[in-house]
Amino acid sequence: MPIDLYKYLIEETDEESAILENKLEVNKGLYTNQADFVIESDKFLRKDNMIMVRKHTRYVDFPKHKHNYVEINYVYHGELKQKVGNEFLHLKQGELLLLNQHMEHEIIACGKEDIVINFIIQPHFFNYIFSYLSAESDDHNISDFLVNSLFNHTQNGQFLYFAVASLDEIQLLVKDMILEIMEPSFLSDAKIKFQMGLLLIELMKHSDKIEKSQQHVVEHNIIIDTLQYIEANYVDASLYQLASQLKQPHYALSKKIKKLTDKTFKELVQEKRLQEAKVLLLHTDLPITAVVEQVGYDNISYFYRIFKTKYGCTPKKFREQLPK
């Protein structure tokens, strides 16, 4: 039987019931193990998931905090009032706000009818969608936001506020994602990634709906061109080939990539290869030697070493730990 989303979301959670009964403040231990109030994705995301949703806790002011992930606030019903950086924002039903992991915000207590959905998104998810972005686009609001979320080692907070309540295609897309996450089915994970990519593309199409934004300017085209190149050519990616395509000296391009991402070209390629290797280990029965070859390595010992450094176990152990 299809879920009645409003009826489900209007009900009090255990946390909200405790707040109502005992007039408690936010229990920071539910959100972080850190001394600073930095909400941790591990508290909500299942292992190997990149996107999750949770209902924002009502009835209590939510103190100033950051996240170690990218967040989308979506007002499913009612309203949401908050201070983002130094700006006060009043989101109405159907509107949404993108916050990168360096943006501080604090939220005024929501009432019973104020239902806000928080999308929790791992920053590295955006590696998956750069192939859909155009470096020649006239509007860089979304793509600059994504670049900063992935590579903003200077830790500048950034947000984008979209007044999209009147856009049915965006409303349907967001609500379908919420249902898909709450009632997962076969291939839900792939569908949710696809839908999130579609949502960002739809938002790019409606950049006129951005009412407020705070930007940190980066050399936009270089990063997107580099990521798109790596996405398409990670098996045999070459800095010299990319430099030739971009008509830049390879040594100058190498310095720019390092400056903008705090990673070398080789490190970006290695990160992509390891991500692809993990997907193959998760979703295929290929022998590990074949996985190593398919992602562009010919030295299995070296692959084992960097995989273990990245994920904390060997590829063999990683596969053995998967649920049967």
Side-chain angles (χ1 to χ4, degrees):
M1 181 178 177
I3 187 173
D4 183 333
L5 195 53
Y6 175 79
K7 184 178 179 181
Y8 175 79
L9 293 171
I10 200 70
E11 292 180 359
E12 270 84 34
T13 63
D14 291 343
E15 182 185 7
E16 289 171 336
S17 296
I19 289 168
L20 288 171
E21 289 173 13
N22 304 303
K23 298 183 179 178
L24 300 176
E25 297 180 345
V26 168
N27 180 357
K28 292 185 179 180
L30 296 175
Y31 298 90
T32 184
N33 293 323
Q34 302 182 35
D36 295 332
F37 200 175
V38 179
I39 300 179
E40 298 169 306
S41 61
D42 290 348
K43 295 286 187 178
F44 311 110
L45 274 170
R46 297 190 299 272
K47 185 179 179 181
D48 298 318
N49 277 25
M50 292 188 183
I51 302 170
M52 182 51 65
V53 297
R54 74 182 304 271
K55 185 179 72 173
H56 173 69
T57 302
R58 297 168 292 178
Y59 311 127
V60 64
D61 291 340
F62 210 96
K64 186 181 292 184
H65 64 281
K66 295 181 182 179
H67 319 94
N68 68 358
Y69 52 86
V70 175
E71 182 174 77
I72 297 179
N73 298 156
Y74 172 71
V75 183
Y76 178 82
H77 192 274
E79 61 183 5
L80 175 67
K81 296 178 181 178
Q82 60 181 306
K83 184 179 180 183
V84 183
N86 295 317
E87 296 194 48
F88 286 95
L89 301 181
H90 182 185
L91 276 69
K92 303 175 184 63
Q93 186 167 316
E95 297 181 341
L96 54 83
L97 178 74
L98 278 69
L99 299 147
N100 78 356
Q101 65 270 44
H102 310 298
M103 193 76 241
E104 273 192 332
H105 67 139
E106 50 191 311
I107 301 172
I108 296 172
C110 290
K112 183 176 180 66
E113 294 290 330
D114 300 325
I115 301 174
V116 177
I117 300 297
N118 297 329
F119 284 85
I120 298 164
I121 309 168
Q122 294 284 25
H124 62 267
F125 162 76
F126 301 122
N127 281 320
Y128 285 80
I129 65 169
F130 270 102
S131 58
Y132 299 105
L133 302 180
S134 170
E136 289 76 34
S137 172
D138 291 333
D139 182 85
H140 291 168
N141 285 306
I142 294 285
S143 47
D144 277 346
F145 178 91
L146 303 185
V147 167
N148 285 332
S149 297
L150 274 169
F151 302 116
N152 186 4
H153 52 282
T154 55
Q155 298 196 354
N156 291 283
Q158 184 178 5
F159 70 85
L160 296 174
Y161 171 24
F162 286 87
V164 291
S166 63
L167 300 178
D168 291 342
E169 62 271 31
I170 289 178
Q171 300 302 314
L172 291 171
L173 194 53
V174 173
K175 290 171 183 176
D176 193 34
M177 262 193 292
I178 296 170
L179 284 169
E180 192 69 39
I181 293 172
M182 289 185 165
E183 288 198 321
S185 57
F186 181 62
L187 294 178
S188 277
D189 189 50
K191 181 178 177 181
I192 291 159
K193 289 175 186 175
F194 178 72
Q195 288 174 319
M196 183 58 71
L198 281 180
L199 174 62
L200 294 170
I201 290 168
E202 285 295 327
L203 293 175
M204 289 180 74
K205 287 163 57 179
H206 296 284
S207 59
D208 59 308
K209 299 295 184 181
I210 297 178
E211 292 193 355
K212 296 181 182 289
S213 72
Q214 180 173 314
Q215 300 283 354
H216 172 63
V217 178
V218 297
E219 292 184 59
H220 169 96
N221 289 5
I222 289 175
I223 298 303
I224 289 188
D225 285 339
T226 299
L227 293 175
Q228 288 179 332
Y229 171 80
I230 291 172
E231 183 73 26
N233 303 280
Y234 63 87
V235 173
D236 56 0
S238 160
L239 178 65
Y240 291 92
Q241 184 182 50
L242 175 61
S244 176
Q245 289 182 14
L246 299 182
K247 297 181 172 54
Q248 294 199 31
H250 73 275
Y251 53 85
L253 179 60
S254 177
K255 287 181 178 178
K256 285 180 182 177
I257 291 171
K258 176 65 175 176
K259 177 185 174 184
L260 295 171
T261 69
D262 204 31
K263 295 180 181 180
T264 65
F265 177 80
K266 181 180 178 181
E267 288 170 338
L268 292 175
V269 172
Q270 178 175 290
E271 194 166 273
K272 175 61 182 174
R273 286 175 172 177
L274 289 174
Q275 288 171 1
E276 291 299 317
K278 191 168 79 165
V279 170
L280 291 172
L281 290 169
L282 281 169
H283 301 296
T284 75
D285 295 323
L286 284 173
I288 293 175
T289 52
V291 170
V292 173
E293 183 179 347
Q294 283 203 23
V295 300
Y297 290 108
D298 53 17
N299 185 328
I300 193 166
S301 297
Y302 175 71
F303 175 80
Y304 262 71
R305 187 166 67 252
I306 62 174
F307 189 95
K308 187 174 182 180
T309 299
K310 174 74 173 177
Y311 298 114
C313 63
T314 65
K316 184 174 185 292
K317 182 67 68 175
F318 177 82
R319 180 172 266 174
E320 288 173 350
Q321 291 172 352
L322 295 175
K324 304 300 181 184

